[in-house]
Amino acid sequence: MNKLYSIFSLLVGVFAFTACTPEVDDKFSETPTERVEETGNNTRDILKAAPNGWRIEYYASTTYGGYNVFAKFEDNNVTVASEKVGSNHNAGFGPDGKLITTTSHYKIEASQGVVLSFDEYNDIFHYFSDPANPDYGTKGEGMEGDFEFRVQSATAEKVEMIGKKHQSKIVMYPVEDGKTWEDYVNEVNATRDFMASRSYQFVVEGSEREIDVTTSYRRLVFTYLNDAEEKQQVVAPFIITGNGYKLYRTVDVDGTEISSILKGNTEEYFVVEGNENARLYTYVPTLKETLESGVWFITYEDLSPFARPYWDTMRNKLATAGPNNSRNRLYWALIGTYLNRLAFHMQAGGDYCYQGITITQLDEDGNEVFIKWDSKTNNAAGKLYYRSYGMNQAMIPFVGTGSTGRTFTLSTDDKRHPSYIILTDKKEPTNVIKLWAEEKNYPYGDLDADEK
């Protein structure tokens, strides 16, 4: 009887507790689909509510750094502008001094969460995701940007997203009241011109570590030797703001954390935000150093008549370099330090090839150099293309034949931030080569336009 009474008391208590418990909040009765739909509607309302639109810190492949893109969402359409200007890219400022804009459709949809999709082609926005980008990357890849983004969080102050395909982090901020898109881009351009340099020195007060910094696209590359004399390299993609360089993510350089670098009011150095003892000093290297540490793109158009026959030979040989003796088109070619190797580099079809070079300074100012082939530095594709597909011929204007080497005088438009370097052969004055800091794809241009 005692047992039965205990069980009866327990059941009464359970029923009493159930009767007194408040009803479960309605949101728990919603299905996952309904909750995602509600979040999507909220995101759409937030996007449309920004009166001056949004500034998007857009990253395609972080190889290229970040760019400011602007978007104004209204109903089902979005109007876009961008600071990034490229060949055949309808962007930047128009003749009227206003940013060029393009309007297209967008949508918010549910796909494992909320997705913002720029689903109608927009020549400004889709420049970053176009696999046939005329300025960057290889055919079929381009800049490796996205046009569909998973929304991680959305408030009136900030929208955070991740590229659906390539996973780059994308952040959007409302453009502040009283500021136009043109105002912001003008501030960015002023910062770019004020801080621009091919090379810097990173100095931390109290440290004797020598840390060299170079730029490649919108990336800072910090290079130094650690205590064990081992080479360390930290790559920091960034976007330019009105205040300086804002890094894609916080990086640690020899114990110093860096998330942004402020331009300040002197061109001599720029200060790490939050750390007055860490400074990025501008440094004007010799042209020899600039040539050696950078990547310098080659185009057939900018080879002198002396060099072109050698490149004609390589082009003819590339006609059978592909699968089943098909043509492998040359996507790009460069000299300099790429993937931590000083070499002649090229991409033909699916093959990345390199053959090492050495660059020796011959004068005090670094304007005269001796370039020679380094036969010990190469990869398997480099050996194959050097032996069978004309890479050895393309290198002759730069290094001569075999181990002879060539002596060049170097010149440029701006030693601090050169857009090109011209090599003039000391012994063969008709051998003049113009190399470009900006990426140049398809070096042969219209000679193989039919194969694009």
Side-chain angles (χ1 to χ4, degrees), residues 22 27 51 61 131 148 165 174 180 199 222 228-229 235 253 262 272-273 298 303 329 343 362 445 449:
K27 69 180 181 181
S61 168
E148 294 182 305
K165 182 176 181 181
T180 67
S199 302
F222 298 81
E229 295 296 305
V235 179
V253 178
L262 306 179
V272 171
E273 185 174 20
I298 306 164
L303 299 172
R329 190 173 184 217
L362 299 180

Side-chain angles (χ1 to χ4, degrees), residues 183-253:
D183 291 337
Y184 198 92
V185 173
N186 282 327
E187 290 177 2
V188 166
N189 290 343
T191 299
R192 178 198 64 199
D193 295 342
F194 189 79
M195 298 181 68
S197 182
R198 288 286 298 183
S199 302
Y200 305 88
Q201 293 287 327
F202 184 60
V203 178
V204 179
E205 187 176 326
S207 172
E208 296 182 358
R209 185 86 69 201
E210 293 185 3
I211 302 177
D212 297 322
V213 187
T214 57
T215 55
S216 172
Y217 304 108
R218 289 190 174 179
R219 298 188 308 164
L220 296 171
V221 182
F222 298 81
T223 305
Y224 60 96
L225 298 178
N226 64 14
D227 292 337
E229 295 296 305
E230 299 167 329
K231 186 176 182 179
Q232 305 295 307
Q233 200 165 69
V234 178
V235 179
F238 65 87
I239 191 168
I240 301 175
T241 71
N243 296 321
Y245 295 161
K246 179 181 179 182
L247 304 193
Y248 178 70
R249 60 170 61 92
T250 300
V251 298
D252 185 304
V253 178

Side-chain angles (χ1 to χ4, degrees), residues 165-176:
K165 182 176 181 181
H166 297 292
Q167 307 300 309
S168 286
K169 178 182 68 176
I170 308 294
V171 184
M172 299 169 56
Y173 299 93
V175 178
E176 62 190 77

